Amino acid sequence: MGTKELHYRAYRPRPFTKEERPRTTILFGGLTWKHERLIQGSLERMGYRSMPLPQIERQDLDIGKEFIDVGACCPTTFTAGNLARTLMTLKEKEGEEALKNNYLFVTIGACGPCRFGQYHESYERVLEGMNLKDFRLFLLDLLQMEQSAPGGGLEISMPLTFGLVYSMFYGDLITDMEHATRPYEVVEGSTDAVVKDSVELLYEKLRNRPIKGKKIDSLLWHVFTGYFVDALKEVRRLWDEVEVDRLRVKPRVKITGEFWLQTHEGDGNYNMKRWLEKEGAEVIPPPVAVWMDYLINMELFKLEDAKGFVKKYYLKKFAVESIARLYRMVYNKLRKALNNIPNPMPDQRKLKDLARPYFHYRLTGGEGHMLIGKALYAYKNKQAHMICELSPYGCLPNTMSVGAMAKVLGDYPDLLYAPIEVKGDAEVHAYSRCQMILTEAKRRAKEEFEQVLEKTGLTVEEIRNFEEDHPELRKATYRVPHYGYAGTASNYAMHVAKLMGKI
Ligand code: SF4
């Protein structure tokens, strides 16, 4: 009896041609709705039709489990389920042929010791499970400025890449403004409204941005133009109108954890940021830009490690350092347009050094050493009262970081740390765990504020009276300097005391 030979056949997407571009919609997802709307503006400017996947919902977890292996980490399961739900909806609405011919999905890939290097394989299982092997799914390399997908219909050129980088920066900065403002807004809902208006304004700016040059001239224009800063100055005027009350004493909670889970805003992480705000906290959100900064700096650190073996070492080092400096310079220029309210990016070398006694930076995967570095950085620099670390269920890199954190906590018993394991379907457990640490963080914030009042000799009434004569203090865009306290109310009281000549 003859045996049939079985061959593994890797998924290869059908080509996507330039002629198909005007009638083909690019589906993409994985970030916040703000980032995705801005990315849409950048894609549309380059002539692509695009559509972000719908917001992640609890049902995506169950759908994902049906298609991919049960051991997959929680972000993979959620995002695979989200893609499956989108394809099901489109198939039902427009039919299978239209779905295959008029849509495609683009995702980012990288290699590494974690699921991130295999996301596309999970997505392929979705296509297989739905009998949609002809549907096109393209994987782009995160670190390539220029690349194209088979067929030439999708070309990632320098102008598009820079548009995407600015979309990321804008999305991060607006998110930072949002979380610094909403806990203190005087009119409920005013922050959400201005976030929406800001994102729409920036979407239009990205969609209508001039395309100057293709290679080095494109780089120079994007780095040195005033176009993007001017757009943010318009945004700042919108935020000027939002009134805040910074005398509300709140614990500041820094979010850390796995990349997707910490940046996500939805059911994928139990809406943790909104929940913390409802519980009376101020949240410090993690910018996507920090992760790119981490990747750039990792190249530099690797180069330094191999110094003795690298040809043209100083030239290469200069090149990577210049990229890292330009990246940071642009981010800071944009922050300045918003009066430096959004937080600066942490120094990657400091993060690496802080984490070093507990976690070697060459252990990559997930957030690597950053999880520890960020927690210690926030603690030592009095940036936050508490760290809320979001760990995905089924994530190997995070398990390692959390294990190393046990030693950190032994050395810094005063560090308030809430490690939350996110499975996607156990929010009661997660909230209650977070609540326990938050209660202590609230107590510390209150105590800290009382100490400031005692130190400055000020009363809340006196601060209120001073505010009446200085209404600019109650603008969301008024920057309060850091006086060495974790809480916003404490730093604000110190600032008013300084303005009054009391310190
Ligand atoms: S870091 Fe963890 S959660 Fe994130 S993709 Fe990798 S395995 Fe999944």
Side-chain angles (χ1 to χ4, degrees):
M1 194 169 63
T3 52
K4 195 176 164 195
E5 243 184 282
L6 292 174
H7 294 284
Y8 170 73
R9 287 183 53 217
Y11 167 83
R12 274 218 189 91
R14 280 185 295 127
F16 168 43
T17 63
K18 277 187 187 160
E19 295 69 47
E20 289 176 286
R21 222 184 252 178
R23 59 179 162 84
T24 308
T25 301
I26 297 174
L27 301 172
F28 66 98
L31 293 171
T32 73
W33 68 268
K34 291 158 275 183
H35 291 84
E36 287 167 1
R37 179 71 174 146
L38 296 165
I39 288 173
Q40 209 177 2
S42 294
L43 285 168
E44 285 175 3
R45 176 64 184 94
M46 304 306 291
Y48 296 103
R49 291 164 67 119
S50 65
M51 188 175 111
L53 297 186
Q55 285 285 287
I56 294 270
E57 289 177 10
R58 170 69 182 75
Q59 54 170 318
D60 295 329
L61 186 74
D62 298 327
I63 299 173
K65 281 178 186 164
E66 279 178 33
F67 289 101
I68 67 172
D69 67 278
V70 287
C73 61
C74 139
T76 314
T77 316
F78 262 116
T79 51
N82 189 243
L83 174 66
R85 174 160 66 94
T86 311
L87 297 182
M88 283 174 202
T89 312
L90 287 171
K91 188 173 157 186
E92 207 176 286
K93 245 171 58 186
E94 302 187 25
E96 191 169 320
E97 282 314 299
L99 172 63
K100 285 181 193 167
N101 295 327
N102 302 340
Y103 292 89
L104 55 88
F105 178 64
V106 173
T107 188
I108 300 284
C111 62
C114 90
R115 289 261 167 192
F116 189 47
Q118 299 152 20
Y119 263 35
H120 65 290
E121 280 173 18
S122 297
Y123 299 148
E124 285 164 33
R125 296 291 83 77
V126 168
L127 300 187
E128 210 173 66
M130 291 181 69
N131 214 7
L132 281 175
K133 271 227 147 192
D134 276 349
F135 180 81
R136 286 164 295 182
L137 184 155
F138 292 105
L139 182 73
L140 298 177
D141 186 335
L142 189 62
L143 292 174
Q144 295 280 335
M145 303 283 276
E146 293 182 294
Q147 50 191 310
S148 73
L154 180 63
E155 287 169 312
I156 307 297
S157 58
M158 293 275 249
L160 176 55
T161 299
F162 284 117
L164 297 177
V165 171
Y166 274 97
S167 306
M168 173 183 71
F169 283 164
Y170 277 169
D172 285 346
L173 295 167
I174 297 301
T175 303
D176 241 61
M177 289 294 293
E178 176 188 355
H179 287 284
T181 308
R182 192 166 41 228
Y184 305 101
E185 68 188 7
V186 172
V187 178
E188 204 184 322
S190 53
T191 309
D192 286 353
V194 81
V195 166
K196 212 162 163 271
D197 292 346
S198 305
V199 170
E200 279 314 300
L201 189 154
L202 295 172
Y203 159 80
E204 289 297 339
K205 296 285 175 189
L206 287 163
R207 204 167 70 121
N208 298 312
R209 72 189 194 283
I211 302 297
K212 305 267 183 167
K214 286 188 170 170
K215 300 261 178 187
I216 197 78
D217 35 358
S218 172
L219 181 140
L220 292 175
W221 184 77
H222 279 92
V223 170
F224 296 108
T225 178
Y227 182 84
F228 299 101
V229 169
D230 291 345
L232 279 179
K233 285 184 183 159
E234 282 183 48
V235 165
R236 179 178 163 173
R237 286 194 277 279
L238 299 176
W239 288 81
D240 276 340
E241 301 304 315
V242 181
E243 191 189 353
V244 292
D245 173 11
R246 293 193 176 95
L247 283 178
R248 294 175 188 165
V249 181
K250 290 172 180 281
R252 282 187 104 210
V253 180
K254 183 167 178 67
I255 305 287
T256 65
E258 186 268 345
F259 173 76
W260 184 81
L261 219 55
Q262 61 173 333
T263 47
H264 179 68
E265 295 174 352
D267 289 353
N269 65 6
Y270 308 134
N271 281 290
M272 200 47 101
K273 291 173 207 160
R274 284 273 178 169
W275 179 83
L276 278 163
E277 283 186 0
K278 273 199 213 106
E279 291 298 308
E282 177 191 338
V283 164
I284 309 174
V288 179
V290 171
W291 205 62
M292 283 300 291
D293 194 38
Y294 163 76
L295 294 179
I296 297 169
N297 277 278
M298 281 299 278
E299 293 305 311
L300 183 63
F301 301 153
K302 279 193 248 167
L303 201 64
E304 287 172 351
D305 276 359
K307 185 179 175 184
F309 308 96
V310 178
K311 277 189 198 154
K312 297 187 185 160
Y313 170 76
Y314 287 103
L315 190 67
K316 285 182 182 161
K317 186 171 178 214
F318 174 75
V320 185
E321 267 176 349
S322 302
I323 294 171
R325 251 188 241 122
L326 281 180
Y327 184 80
R328 207 165 260 270
M329 186 192 91
V330 173
Y331 194 72
N332 284 335
K333 208 164 65 164
L334 297 176
R335 277 182 59 234
K336 201 166 160 213
L338 294 171
N339 207 18
N340 286 321
I341 306 276
N343 293 294
M345 280 196 274
D347 181 331
Q348 285 293 335
R349 211 171 276 277
K350 277 194 191 140
L351 294 187
K352 171 183 162 246
D353 293 344
L354 281 170
R356 183 61 194 98
Y358 310 96
F359 204 92
H360 197 282
Y361 79 98
R362 293 298 289 270
L363 282 169
T364 54
E367 287 277 296
H369 66 274
M370 274 207 296
L371 195 137
I372 290 164
K374 282 184 193 172
L376 282 174
Y377 189 88
Y379 172 73
K380 291 192 175 215
N381 292 293
K382 292 249 183 332
Q383 281 187 338
H385 296 97
M386 163 185 162
I387 311 293
C388 175
E389 188 256 299
L390 301 168
S391 294
Y393 173 75
C395 170
L396 172 71
N398 238 70
T399 309
M400 283 160 50
S401 314
V402 172
M405 261 320 277
K407 169 77 174 122
V408 177
L409 296 177
D411 291 349
Y412 298 92
D414 212 27
L415 197 164
L416 286 186
Y417 190 69
I420 308 297
E421 191 191 48
V422 181
K423 287 175 77 180
D425 55 3
E427 56 266 57
V428 177
H429 177 72
Y431 292 159
S432 100
R433 195 179 167 91
C434 201
Q435 189 74 266
M436 285 192 293
I437 317 286
L438 189 62
T439 304
E440 173 58 14
K442 280 183 185 172
R443 193 195 61 73
R444 287 193 193 178
K446 203 163 163 261
E447 195 179 274
E448 180 194 80
F449 183 67
E450 279 160 8
Q451 280 169 9
V452 168
L453 291 186
E454 207 180 295
K455 184 173 173 179
T456 56
L458 276 178
T459 62
V460 170
E461 288 67 37
E462 283 173 308
I463 300 176
R464 291 268 184 240
N465 289 339
F466 189 79
E467 279 180 336
E468 273 183 33
D469 296 333
H470 299 85
E472 72 280 4
L473 288 172
R474 288 174 68 97
K475 282 185 179 185
T477 46
Y478 187 89
R479 183 169 175 269
V480 179
H482 190 247
Y483 289 87
Y485 293 94
T488 295
S490 300
N491 285 311
Y492 181 65
M494 285 295 285
H495 186 56
V496 173
K498 189 162 182 228
L499 294 176
M500 290 170 83
K502 298 237 174 192
I503 55 167

